[in-house]
Every structure is written in structure tokens, then in C-alpha cells.
Amino acid sequence: MPFVPFVPIVPILLVLPLAFGAAACADGSVGSGPRPDSATPTDSGTPTDSGGATDSAVLADSGPPDTGPMGPVSVPPPPPITFPETIGTVTITVQTDNGEYSGTDDGQELCLTSTRCFRLNHDEHDDLERGQIDVYHLPAGGLTRAQIDRVVLRTRSDPAVDNDAFAPTCMDIRLDGEPVYCNDAITALIGTGTSTGEARSWRDPRGLHNACYSCWGERLTHGPMQGPPSGDTAKVWVRIDAMRHVALVLATDPSGADRVATDWAQPGPESDFTAVLEAPFLREGTEYFYRVEVDGGEIQPFRSLTTAPASDSRDPVRLTFGSCARNFPQPIFDPIREAAPDLFLWVGDIHYGNSPERGRQRFEYRRNRRDPMRSALMAEVPMLATWDDHDFVGNDSDGQCAGKDQALTTFREWWVNPSYGTDRTPGIFTSYRYGPMELFLADCRYHRPRVVNDSRDCNGDGPPITDRTGGLLGRPQFDWLVEGLARSDAPFKLVACGSLWLASNPGAIDSWHSFPEARAAFLSELTTRNVDGVVLLSGDVHRSQIRREDRAGDYPITEFISSSLSVYPTGTPGRSCTTEANMLFCYPWDSYISMEAEHADGDWTLTAEVRDDTGALRHTERLPRSGLE
């Protein structure tokens, strides 16, 4: 339902009703009705275990299961949210015009009273540039809603300096997540110069009001993204524009006729309005159909979602993986999506933020997930991820670099991995079973000791890491990995690290090559513990490669390197591959690797295909399970 302008209030608590709206239009309005100024705001509440009436048009009536999985279980909507009078966080989203000279490097600020202004700046992020959407979560410092009497954008530059003028086109404001302002028709030119229409400040004469839903053009700003399912639970990640009700809706019918809401969330500014929604009590290896709804709106069509197969299933399983997605657009994701793998694994350099600063990292994630081809893949194929240097804290960065805890917190906001480290050892390492494959995602940055490397780029140093026996992993994670591999009964145990395992070139400083004793110890543990079926995965080097090393008294170990996804399109001049003793294949342009496990004639076979950015086959490698023991 569209809504009327927000009016500041004096009472201690503001209670907003749950409203249901239609999908957002390109101009920022919703459905075919009037723009949001004309009726009541569609703000939302905190999801809880009870409260609120069930909309019978959307939610089927169902109780909790008595024994075993029963399929999607309905959860009623939560009650309306209450917002406190004293504000904790002001969130400001600003979109800059796409004109050639619209962006600025000069300071800007938003003023909500004569004395309370909020600086729009990220320390390590080149914000307010042409065409960008920037988001700022700022402490309110005791500001109350009743004190707000203006909406003013102004330059912070010295009046005597002819600065770089700024041309915003949209701004929205949230107070502790409450959507109180949105204007997508700003035509200001803010600066100290003498250009036509240029002024030091711009004031919205209407004050706080909502003329649109958000500067993203819709309430669902990013996602949905499927997380890795278990046999009885599916997870879906979303980001929305404000603190609203968001629901995961599941059905067994492709039309959604029997749909139920299985989970609700009300994400706030502390998580950048991201949330993970779950659908429990599902059946193993079963296809369902899902969508997410924000404030009851039918934002997107139903998509297929399948729970994980049984661990002893002999059905074929296909994993696709890749790394290094820097340039835009990113056409490689269309052929990957069309091939419909069961899982997609990111092996690092998912973005190139090269900064631990949360504002910069969040900006990169927001920008990447607005790419239409990448976002379509994420909505249709379950995602797993580990990081490498550029999406950690900086080029060739290690565990001694400052800011790694910020990077970890941000990573957890934007991914849906099964777990993150252990209770005693932080990081993003995890394991995940899917039919005949068990994936071990190593964290090859958080605990990595420092080495002499002129390319290392860190924003300061933390405490030194002196124990090198665990190599890139640190000793606790090294032990976790070896013990997990020894316990696994999966036919194929795929161990992923953002950095190369079997690099043999002395120049490969940023890899396991700098830790030869730890690498030898890892391979020795596989032999000592009789661990069969191990295959190594990595990325980083902007070339897809296959490497293999013989081991005395044991099966050869094979490494598949998939890189890059979007850095060097096919045919980019100046690309080549080196010749190394353990390298079986190399492709120097954008590509990905698809790995399918199939069972036939009493044996499993892992078939790896290297495909280019159009999906064309470049190489095939087969590993019979009987050859990995």
C-alpha cells in the first residue's frame, strides 16, 4: 500500500503498522498506484516468534511437525515495530548523477538541525563519484526525532576555494532503520563555484517526506542469494533498503499456489540491512520454489531451490568454482547459470576493495551484487565462499595486517557459509557435505604468518604470528583440516584455498610455496592417516591451471586453479602461460572450472571441465576415485 509523508513526532515510541505493497517500479514508485506520498508509510516491525495475524492469501495454515520433515512450515508475521524517540543510528544513502563532472572529492554533509550535521565520507573509499550509490551508517549522538527540522545537503569546502561541485540525484534517510525520507528527483549542484545553478547548499522545502521507497529504486536492494542447503533446511540471504518485514516464502508447486512464509526478519543498520532467512523441516533432495517478500510485496518470481542429497546418494553432483571477479560487466556468469550447477564456490578475490574499512568493503559487495548476471546466478544456484587477499584487507595481505576482524565481520554479513571458524579459532574456514563431495574451505589469510614480500599492502600491522608450522592456515586450523579430512567418508574431499597449493615458481611468494615445510607436512598427514580422494582447489593467479605432483607411496595430488572470472576477457592481448614441471594445463583468460562427480560401473569419477567466458569447453580432466587411494 503506498503511503503519506512522514511527520516527526514527540511521543517516546512510534508504532508503525505492517503494510503490504506491490513490486517497485523503475521510477521508485510501487505497483501501479500513486507514489508513496499519497497514503500511509509501509514501514515494518521486528520479527518475533508470535504476534500478528496470518494473511490467508499468502500463508497456508500449518503447525510444527510431530516427527520428521513435513515440508515448509508456516510462521506467522511479526508484530509492528516500535522506534525510540532518541535515535541511535542515522543511515544516509546518496546517489550521484552519472554526468561526467557530477562526482566530487570535496567534503559534503547532511544537516537535520541547525547544529547537527552528518559528514558524508568513508576514509578509504572514493565516494560520491559519478553514478555511485553510497551508504553511510552514522551515530546520531543523542538526536531525537522531534529535533529534526530540516533536510540540507551542503559542502564543507572553504567559501574562498572554487571546489569540485557535487550533483546528487537521490537521497534517502533512515532513523534506526525507519524510512523517514526519500527523494529521487534532486537537481541540485552543490559547490563554491559560479556555474549556473551552483550553490553552497541545497534544502528540501518539504523536509522529511517519502517521495520514493529508496535510492535503489526498490525495497529489495540486493539478492536473493541462495546459501548452501542441508538435507532439511534451506537458507536465503537478502539485503533491503530499511528496517522492514522481509519473509522467505516457500512452495512445493512452481506456481506458488501452496506457498507459506517460513521465516521473517527485520534487519537493521548494524548489519547494513542484510539478513539470512531459513526454511526448516524440509525433505532431503527435494525441489521447492521460493521467493522473498518485503512488507508483503511480491518482489520477484518463484525460483527453484533444492535441498542437499543424502550423503550416500549416487546421483551425479556438479560444482562450479572460480575466483577474481574485478571488471564490469561480468558476462561469464550467464553461461555458468545456464549450465545449472548444483553449487557455486567462490575461491577468493570476490571483490577488489583492498581495504579493511567496513564502508569500503560494504560498498564493493553492494556494487558487485547489483551486477545483473552475477545476481541472477546467486538467486538460482547455492553459494559458498572463501576469501583471498583483495577481499581480505589488501594485496598479498596476511594475518598480521590490521583490520582483519573488520573484514571477518563484513564477510559474515554478506555470505551464508555453514559456519565460520571454531569457538576457539576465528576465521572463515568451514566444511560442507553435498552428496559424494565434501568441501573444506580453508581460510588462507586470517592466520597466515608474514613473509618478506614487497607487494604486501597492509594498513598497519597487528601482533606478529610466529608459529609457521601451520603454513597459511595457522596451527589450529591446520589440525582442524587434517582431522576433518581423516573423519570424512566422502568419495571426493575438495580442499579450497584462495592461494596456490602446488606453486613451484620461486616468484610465487604469496602462496604455499613460501611455506614448504608446512605444505610437506600437510601432504604427509594425508598419507599417514590414509586419507583418500583429496583434490585441491585454488584461484588467485588470473589463469586457470591444472597441476599434479607425485607422492612417494601414495596417489598423486592434483590441484585445479580457477581464475579469473572477470579480469581478462578471452583474446585480451599480452596473456600467456609459463611452463612448469607440475603444470598439466593452463588457460590465460577469463574462465571457470566445472567438476562433476558421477558413479558408474562400481566407481566414482570426478570430471573437471575448464570453460571460457562464453561457456566454451577448453579442457577436460578426469580423476577416477580408484586412482585417488
Side-chain angles (χ1 to χ4, degrees), residues 8 87 89-92 109-120 138-140 143-154 171-176 180-181 202-204 207-209:
I87 304 160
T89 301
V90 176
T91 300
I92 305 158
E109 62 186 7
L110 168 70
C111 298
L112 296 178
T113 76
S114 61
T115 59
R116 296 305 309 278
C117 298
F118 297 87
R119 186 180 179 191
L120 306 181
L138 304 171
L143 180 68
T144 67
R145 284 169 167 76
Q147 291 171 334
I148 297 174
D149 61 4
R150 68 194 66 197
V151 175
V152 176
L153 274 173
R154 70 185 189 189
M171 182 171 65
D172 65 51
I173 302 170
R174 282 77 178 97
L175 306 180
D176 289 328
V180 299
Y181 178 87
W202 170 85
R203 181 168 184 157
D204 192 322
L208 291 180
H209 72 286

Side-chain angles (χ1 to χ4, degrees), residues 11 40 99 107 125-126 135 159 190 206 232 398 401 440-441 463 502 564 616:
T40 303
H125 168 42
D126 192 11
V135 180
I190 303 170
R206 300 178 64 184
D232 62 2
D398 52 58
C401 294
F440 294 83
L441 308 188
L502 303 180
S564 54

Side-chain angles (χ1 to χ4, degrees), residues 217-527:
E218 52 200 348
R219 292 166 291 181
L220 179 65
T221 68
H222 299 80
M225 178 187 76
Q226 291 191 42
S230 67
D232 62 2
T233 301
K235 295 183 179 182
V236 174
W237 175 97
V238 294
R239 182 185 185 274
I240 58 178
D241 70 296
M243 189 176 285
R244 306 180 188 273
H245 282 293
V246 56
L248 174 59
V249 177
L250 218 65
T252 61
D253 189 292
S255 70
D258 60 345
R259 63 194 182 272
V260 300
T262 67
D263 197 11
W264 298 80
Q266 169 244 307
E270 67 283 350
S271 66
D272 195 33
F273 303 113
T274 64
V276 176
L277 299 158
E278 296 190 10
F281 309 119
L282 305 181
R283 299 185 185 277
E284 195 171 57
T286 301
E287 183 181 28
Y288 297 91
F289 302 90
Y290 86 97
R291 74 178 179 209
V292 295
E293 298 180 358
V294 184
D295 281 350
E298 298 180 4
I299 303 298
Q300 295 186 342
F302 280 95
R303 295 181 170 92
S304 174
L305 177 155
T306 303
T307 51
S311 60
D312 59 355
S313 170
R314 292 194 172 184
D315 292 335
V317 165
R318 184 145 42 95
L319 165 76
T320 297
F321 76 102
S323 66
C324 308
R326 183 172 65 192
N327 294 345
F328 295 93
Q330 300 179 339
I332 196 170
F333 293 117
D334 265 359
I336 295 175
R337 179 182 56 81
E338 290 165 1
D342 297 297
L343 299 168
F344 186 87
L345 169 62
W346 300 83
V347 196
D349 293 344
I350 301 161
H351 66 71
Y352 281 70
N354 289 309
S355 169
E357 201 261 338
R358 293 191 74 190
R360 174 61 183 271
Q361 291 230 352
R362 284 170 164 175
F363 170 81
E364 294 292 344
Y365 278 120
R366 292 188 209 106
R367 179 171 65 166
N368 286 345
R369 295 201 187 174
R370 292 288 288 187
D371 178 82
M373 288 168 278
R374 182 190 290 223
S375 61
L377 172 67
M378 289 180 151
E380 296 182 20
V381 178
M383 299 281 134
L384 289 139
T386 188
W387 56 24
D388 199 32
D389 53 342
H390 297 294
D391 50 348
F392 179 52
V393 301
N395 187 59
D396 289 2
S397 50
D398 52 58
Q400 191 172 318
C401 294
K404 65 182 184 179
D405 291 325
Q406 293 184 68
L408 174 58
T409 301
T410 309
F411 188 94
R412 294 183 64 161
E413 280 181 357
W414 289 80
W415 295 103
V416 196
N417 281 358
S419 60
Y420 298 91
T422 66
D423 291 341
R424 295 184 177 182
T425 307
I428 63 168
F429 57 95
T430 189
S431 62
Y432 174 69
R433 182 69 181 263
Y434 194 91
M437 296 180 179
E438 186 159 8
L439 281 70
F440 294 83
L441 308 188
D443 182 340
C444 292
R445 292 291 168 182
Y446 193 95
H447 301 282
R448 180 189 297 212
R450 181 175 180 175
V451 298
V452 177
N453 185 351
D454 292 339
S455 298
R456 179 179 184 265
D457 182 16
C458 291
N459 186 14
D461 281 334
I465 299 173
T466 57
D467 185 354
R468 299 172 62 89
T469 62
L472 277 60
L473 310 179
R475 191 71 217 185
Q477 185 187 177
F478 182 98
D479 293 340
W480 166 87
L481 176 59
V482 169
E483 291 165 5
L485 288 168
R487 286 194 304 268
S488 175
D489 62 357
F492 297 107
K493 305 163 185 68
L494 310 181
V495 188
C497 170
S499 302
L500 265 63
W501 294 89
L502 303 180
S504 56
N505 187 327
I509 300 172
D510 191 47
S511 74
W512 280 91
H513 185 75
S514 291
F515 300 86
E517 295 85 1
R519 178 172 60 181
F522 171 70
L523 297 177
S524 177
E525 288 279 5
L526 300 183
T527 300

Side-chain angles (χ1 to χ4, degrees), residues 501-505 513 519-520 523 536 546-552 554-559 580-584:
W501 294 89
L502 303 180
S504 56
N505 187 327
H513 185 75
R519 178 172 60 181
L523 297 177
L536 306 178
I546 302 173
R547 293 173 179 259
R548 183 171 297 146
E549 285 194 4
D550 292 330
R551 296 187 294 153
D554 212 336
Y555 61 92
I557 199 78
T558 302
E559 178 181 12
E580 298 180 39
N582 67 359
M583 189 183 300
L584 306 182

Side-chain angles (χ1 to χ4, degrees), residues 2 17 184 279:
D184 59 358

